[in-house]
Amino acid sequence: MAAQLERGQGLASTIARVILGVIFFAHGWQKFVTFGMDGVAANFDKMGVPLPTLSAWFAGIVELVGGAALIIGFAVPIVAVLGIIDMLGAIIFVHWDAGFFASNGGYELPLALIAGLIAVGIASHGPLAADTHLLNRRSKAVAK
C-alpha cells in the first residue's frame, strides 16, 4: 500500500511539475520571441517595474530556462524559489491594483503559480525527474 501511495505521489508531482514548467516556459518564450526583451523592458517601464531592463531579463530567463528545468525535473527547489520571486514581482508591480481575479488582470494566476511552485519545490520530484536520477547516482557513489 505504501509503495502504491509513493508511486501515486511521484506521478502527481511529475504531472504538476511538467504543467507548471510548460506554463513558465510558454511565458518566457513569449517574452523572448513574441515581444522581444526590449519590448518587455519597455512594457515593464510603463508599468512602473523597478529596473525594467534587468527585471525583464530576470523574468524572461527564470520563466524560459526555469520552465524547461521544471519540465525535466532539474534543480526544482532552486527554480521554485526563483519562480516565486518572479511571481511576487508580478503580483506587486503588475497585478495587485487590478484585484484578485485574472479576468480583470488581477493576481489570481501568479498566486496559483506560487502555490504550485511551493508544492513541487518541496515534494518528491517523481521518478522521471533529472534530480531523482542525480540524487540516486550520488547516494550510490557515497555508499561505496
Side-chain angles (χ1 to χ4, degrees):
M1 181 72 163
Q4 287 177 327
L5 180 61
E6 188 175 324
R7 279 194 303 273
Q9 289 173 341
L11 178 60
S13 178
T14 298
I15 292 168
R17 180 175 47 74
V18 170
I19 290 170
L20 284 167
V22 168
I23 292 168
F24 275 98
F25 186 86
H27 281 267
W29 182 268
Q30 186 181 44
K31 283 176 176 61
F32 278 99
V33 177
T34 304
F35 303 134
M37 294 313 291
D38 289 339
V40 174
N43 198 26
F44 278 17
D45 190 37
K46 287 180 191 172
M47 292 185 282
V49 176
L51 303 169
T53 301
L54 180 63
S55 297
W57 279 95
F58 176 80
I61 291 169
V62 166
E63 293 169 14
L64 186 72
V65 176
L70 286 172
I71 291 168
I72 65 169
F74 180 72
V76 174
I78 295 167
V79 171
V81 168
L82 293 172
I84 290 167
I85 293 167
D86 180 33
M87 291 299 97
L88 285 172
I91 289 171
I92 293 166
F93 297 110
V94 179
H95 299 283
W96 187 259
D97 289 340
F100 179 75
F101 293 103
S103 60
N104 298 325
Y107 55 87
E108 179 180 16
L109 176 61
L111 191 63
L113 292 172
I114 287 171
L117 288 167
I118 291 168
V120 301
I122 64 169
S124 163
H125 306 139
L128 302 177
D131 284 348
T132 301
H133 295 286
L134 292 171
L135 290 173
N136 286 342
R137 187 179 305 157
R138 179 177 284 160
S139 65
K140 287 178 185 175
V142 169
K144 288 182 179 182

